[in-house]
Amino acid sequence: MALLLFTFFVWEQHTLGDFGSVAMNKRIFKNQTTDKGDVPFFKISTFGKKADSFISNNLFEKYKEKYPYPQKGDLLISASGSIGRIVEYKGQKAYYQDSNIVWLNHNKELLNIYLKAYYQIIHWHGIEGSTIKRLYNKNILATSIFVPDKKEQYELGKLIKKAEKIISLQQRKLKLLKVMKKALSQYMFCQEIEFVPILRFNSFSDKWKYERLKNLIVKEIKGKAKADMKGTKSTYIDTALLNGGSITKVDSPTDTFHNDIIILWDGSQAGKIYHGFTGALGSTLKSYKPKYSGGFLYQYLKSKEPIIFLRYRTPNIPHVVKDFTEIFKINVPSVKEQEKISKTLNYLDQSILVETKKIGSIKKIKKFLLQNMFI
């Protein structure tokens, strides 16, 4: 056994087998399962998801009493498929597929709260760099782990757990914002040939007008290849930049502005819509200068994404039909109402972006803690 000094504490190097043995539920045969029933039976294909098989309560109680069964807080491990995936058992009625879903039945010298964190950086013995598709009991038991005293185990585990809780809360908030945005996008726009939306600001009462998209567009611009635009004069707008990539400059006049609508014209993501960019437009993209509120038009078209006017060059590669502005019709209110709707939905978009960045930042902090606070 090796000893390593970490901050002010001595951490001991062990194998997981020093703390206990691998356990699993007793085998369940297919004729013992049903599509509906009392107790969910998780196979490796449904591990961590929703069960599609069940066993009777009588069988569950019998097997739980006579054979190995996880304690609340034990960490279930996938031994095949996505090897090493971890699900904490929280005390619910459930049964698990033998040999494919296992856990370490360990003594009290190893805390689950610490083990759950450590599992996220663990290197399973004997499978690194191999093509092995299964995590055998011998691999688990021979896996190395560095362990401090129980007090430090608890504090470290609690810290990671707190970070995970914050991430979970932020993800829930993000999900609610997306649901709200989707609902407002459905109710604040007139559907088909209706002339009054379901949800509306009190200060507006006029009927909306049904227009061809072409009548709401002042100018259409087709992008050019980057090779035709050398230099440093304008920002080059391509799909990489639109999806968060770095800025490059080209010698070409700025032809697309912040209020314009940009549509990806060809390729696997054809029909994707963007707004809020200024620069020289790249190939595979077209921009459309709106007569009125670009924000409103963007939000309306975005609510229809992927655009319904796609065609396919091959079974897998779509493109936008050439005359879609002639085909597509849209209900529009007054300019003031357009701007009010645009401002509301844009605020939600910005809130979603902020929450997404927060989640990314907290995940980076958690990753840093795992990489630097554990041996």
Side-chain angles (χ1 to χ4, degrees):
M1 183 187 301
L3 296 179
L4 289 178
L5 189 64
F6 182 74
T7 62
F8 301 104
F9 302 95
V10 174
W11 288 46
E12 296 183 345
Q13 184 178 14
H14 289 272
T15 64
L16 290 175
D18 292 337
F19 297 98
S21 59
V22 174
M24 66 189 75
N25 287 157
K26 180 174 173 57
R27 175 161 296 184
I28 295 292
F29 295 96
K30 188 173 182 180
N31 62 5
Q32 294 175 297
T33 67
T34 55
D35 293 337
K36 296 180 180 180
D38 304 318
V39 180
F41 173 61
F42 291 93
K43 298 168 285 188
I44 194 63
S45 59
T46 55
F47 183 54
K49 303 175 186 176
K50 186 177 180 180
D52 59 10
S53 296
F54 297 83
I55 62 173
S56 69
N57 193 62
N58 288 338
L59 184 63
F60 169 74
E61 294 294 347
K62 177 182 175 182
Y63 278 15
K64 182 182 177 184
E65 183 179 350
K66 292 181 65 176
Y67 303 106
Y69 192 79
Q71 299 294 312
K72 185 176 180 180
D74 280 343
L75 304 166
L76 305 171
I77 308 167
S78 60
S80 66
S82 299
I83 294 174
R85 191 151 52 94
I86 306 298
V87 172
E88 182 180 352
Y89 176 67
K90 297 184 177 181
Q92 71 278 19
K93 274 191 176 183
Y95 215 72
Y96 301 91
Q97 187 179 30
D98 67 295
S99 76
N100 282 335
I101 301 170
V102 301
W103 68 94
L104 183 69
N105 187 18
H106 58 82
N107 60 34
K108 294 182 179 180
E109 296 305 308
L110 185 61
L111 303 182
N112 275 322
I113 193 171
Y114 175 79
L115 189 57
K116 186 178 182 182
Y118 204 96
Y119 273 155
Q120 297 179 53
I121 56 169
I122 205 162
H123 298 287
W124 298 108
H125 178 80
I127 68 169
E128 289 294 315
S130 75
T131 58
I132 189 169
K133 301 299 180 184
R134 169 168 285 280
L135 188 60
Y136 292 99
N137 293 357
K138 64 181 181 181
N139 301 113
I140 296 172
L141 296 176
T143 295
S144 292
I145 181 172
F146 290 91
V147 183
D149 63 28
K150 288 199 289 186
K151 183 178 179 180
E152 191 171 359
Q153 286 184 50
Y154 177 74
E155 293 300 329
L156 288 170
K158 187 171 73 171
L159 183 62
I160 299 302
K161 186 176 181 179
K162 187 172 183 178
E164 289 171 343
K165 185 176 181 180
I166 295 171
I167 291 168
S168 179
L169 290 172
Q170 290 296 136
Q171 287 174 330
R172 194 180 307 168
K173 185 177 180 180
L174 178 62
K175 184 177 180 181
L176 288 172
L177 283 170
K178 287 181 176 180
V179 168
M180 184 184 296
K181 169 71 190 298
K182 185 176 181 181
L184 288 178
S185 295
Q186 288 177 331
Y187 298 136
M188 294 183 77
F189 294 119
C190 287
Q191 303 301 315
E192 299 296 330
I193 55 172
E194 297 172 358
F195 299 103
V196 177
I198 295 172
L199 187 63
R200 200 172 195 187
F201 295 102
N202 291 333
S203 53
F204 301 103
S205 58
D206 294 344
K207 287 186 177 181
W208 290 29
K209 295 180 180 179
Y210 202 44
E211 297 269 12
R212 288 188 188 278
L213 184 57
K214 183 178 180 180
N215 296 334
L216 304 174
I217 301 296
V218 175
K219 186 178 181 182
E220 175 183 322
I221 298 168
K222 189 178 187 309
K224 295 185 293 184
K226 185 178 177 182
D228 300 330
M229 307 177 180
K230 296 179 180 178
T232 59
K233 188 175 181 180
S234 297
T235 296
Y236 182 67
I237 304 174
D238 60 0
T239 52
L241 176 67
L242 294 174
N243 290 298
S246 59
I247 294 174
T248 57
K249 296 286 187 174
V250 292
D251 265 344
S252 182
T254 295
D255 52 15
T256 296
F257 296 88
H258 192 271
N259 196 44
D260 296 347
I261 306 300
I262 300 174
I263 297 179
L264 179 56
W265 194 258
D266 212 345
S268 61
Q269 297 295 311
K272 198 167 178 61
I273 307 162
Y274 304 90
H275 178 250
F277 292 86
T278 297
L281 196 68
S283 59
T284 76
L285 298 167
K286 285 189 179 180
S287 69
Y288 302 85
K289 191 171 296 297
K291 186 181 290 186
Y292 306 115
S293 170
F296 173 84
L297 194 57
Y298 165 74
Q299 294 290 353
Y300 188 98
L301 293 174
K302 194 71 176 175
S303 72
K304 305 294 182 183
E305 193 183 74
I307 297 177
I308 58 175
F309 31 83
L310 291 180
R311 298 291 184 271
Y312 287 84
R313 297 190 190 283
T314 70
N316 298 318
I317 304 179
H319 69 99
V320 179
V321 297
K322 187 175 182 180
D323 57 350
F324 84 92
T325 57
E326 285 278 5
I327 301 168
F328 196 73
K329 292 184 177 181
I330 175 174
N331 264 308
V332 290
S334 67
V335 175
K336 284 187 176 180
E337 190 170 1
Q338 288 181 42
E339 290 172 349
K340 187 80 171 179
I341 292 169
S342 169
K343 186 176 180 180
T344 301
L345 296 179
N346 184 61
Y347 175 79
L348 284 172
D349 282 341
Q350 293 303 311
S351 298
I352 288 169
L353 181 61
V354 168
E355 295 306 320
T356 301
K357 287 182 177 179
K358 282 183 183 177
I359 292 169
S361 296
I362 301 166
K363 284 183 175 179
K364 286 180 180 178
I365 292 171
K366 177 192 164 186
K367 183 178 179 180
F368 177 83
L369 293 174
L370 286 170
Q371 289 176 338
N372 291 277
M373 296 187 71
F374 294 77
I375 297 179

